[in-house]
Amino acid sequence: DAKTTQPNSMESNEEEPVHLPCNHSTISGTDYIHWYRQLPSQGPEYVIHGLTSNVNNRMASLAIAEDRKSSTLILHRATLRDAAVYYCILKDGWSNDMRFGAGTRLTVKP
Amino acid sequence: NAGVTQTPKFQVLKTGQSMTLQCAQDMNHEYMSWYRQDPGMGLRLIHYSVGAGITDQGEVPNGYNVSRSTTEDFPLRLLSAAPSQTSVYFCASNSRQTDGYTFGSGTRLTVV
């Protein structure tokens, strides 16, 4: 399985942008890049996903490197409610076998 | 629209007992999955299904059985509970293999 590497933790100030990095040097052509987040005592929440092009939705933006070996999740204006563990996952588009890593714990300071 | 519903929310079992964790979705999603999450760790895939009548093993399938007789339901059965199965269990569904997942709120299981 293609794996991802994320920092264990990051800090951000409230109302500032946050850039969460993810490295995936062994990504294959059919792997989608998914991002989920998990707030304390809750189930994971889908954030965004993409294949090759940058993606935007109401929650965040996903910037994918041209060689697809890395990506960045961008929260445009962090709030205290964005404090969570963020998971970057590679998922083959032909499979429903999606495996989580340890993720990045984001702390947002007021 | 309820999304993914898991029952029960909490359960305590004695070692050796069996039980079924229920998962139902009302979004007509073809794909469903079960994960477990141990304290301080990420999620690990137990079993998944790509449609009614079709299931496959994930990363940690031992000690668990699944079946998928309808599109809506994907129950997870613990055959003989062990303390190592103490965990939080999450069910998820998605409509296409390229889509994001919707997760349930989880079942917290303790085996004593």
Side-chain angles (χ1 to χ4, degrees):
Chain A
D1 294 329
K3 296 194 183 302
T4 63
T5 303
Q6 299 178 252
N8 289 334
S9 62
M10 292 185 63
E11 284 189 352
S12 172
N13 294 319
E14 195 176 13
E15 299 188 3
E16 291 185 355
V18 182
H19 291 234
L20 296 166
C22 182
N23 288 319
H24 29 79
S25 59
T26 59
I27 191 170
S28 73
T30 55
D31 283 333
Y32 284 72
I33 302 160
H34 285 245
W35 283 84
Y36 290 79
R37 71 181 186 181
Q38 188 174 23
L39 280 65
S41 300
Q42 294 189 26
E45 176 186 26
Y46 167 78
V47 177
I48 201 166
H49 77 290
L51 183 61
T52 56
S53 303
N54 294 344
V55 184
N56 300 295
N57 66 21
R58 64 175 178 81
M59 291 181 67
S61 295
L62 176 60
I64 301 173
E66 195 168 337
D67 63 4
R68 301 214 316 132
K69 294 185 176 183
S70 65
S71 61
T72 302
L73 179 70
I74 303 166
L75 307 179
H76 295 286
R77 199 160 165 264
T79 69
L80 297 178
R81 290 179 299 175
D82 291 323
V85 177
Y86 286 78
Y87 297 98
C88 169
I89 304 163
L90 297 183
K91 182 181 170 301
D92 190 320
W94 294 102
S95 168
N96 222 48
D97 185 346
M98 186 171 77
R99 306 204 178 184
F100 286 70
T104 296
R105 183 173 298 278
L106 176 66
T107 302
V108 181
K109 297 183 289 185
Chain B
N1 197 349
V4 177
T5 302
Q6 292 185 237
T7 55
K9 293 192 182 304
F10 301 93
Q11 183 70 49
V12 178
L13 286 180
K14 293 182 178 180
T15 298
Q17 286 184 318
S18 62
M19 80 159 294
T20 299
L21 279 63
Q22 301 292 343
C23 176
Q25 51 92 8
D26 61 359
M27 298 171 285
N28 201 32
H29 284 174
E30 282 296 316
Y31 306 100
M32 298 185 75
S33 304
W34 274 104
Y35 290 84
R36 63 176 286 175
Q37 185 173 33
D38 299 328
M41 297 181 64
L43 282 76
R44 292 186 292 171
L45 180 65
I46 304 171
H47 286 284
Y48 62 97
S49 170
V50 299
I54 306 170
T55 64
D56 206 347
Q57 296 182 351
E59 184 181 0
V60 288
N62 292 339
Y64 307 95
N65 274 358
V66 291
S67 61
R68 184 98 179 271
S69 56
T70 67
T71 299
E72 295 79 16
D73 301 300
F74 190 40
L76 178 72
R77 281 182 288 277
L78 279 70
L79 308 174
S80 178
S84 61
Q85 294 178 304
T86 294
S87 190
V88 181
Y89 291 83
F90 292 102
C91 179
S93 74
N94 56 318
S95 60
R96 297 181 304 174
Q97 287 180 332
T98 55
D99 284 352
Y101 286 30
T102 300
F103 281 83
S105 57
T107 294
R108 185 175 297 273
L109 176 68
T110 302
V111 182
V112 297

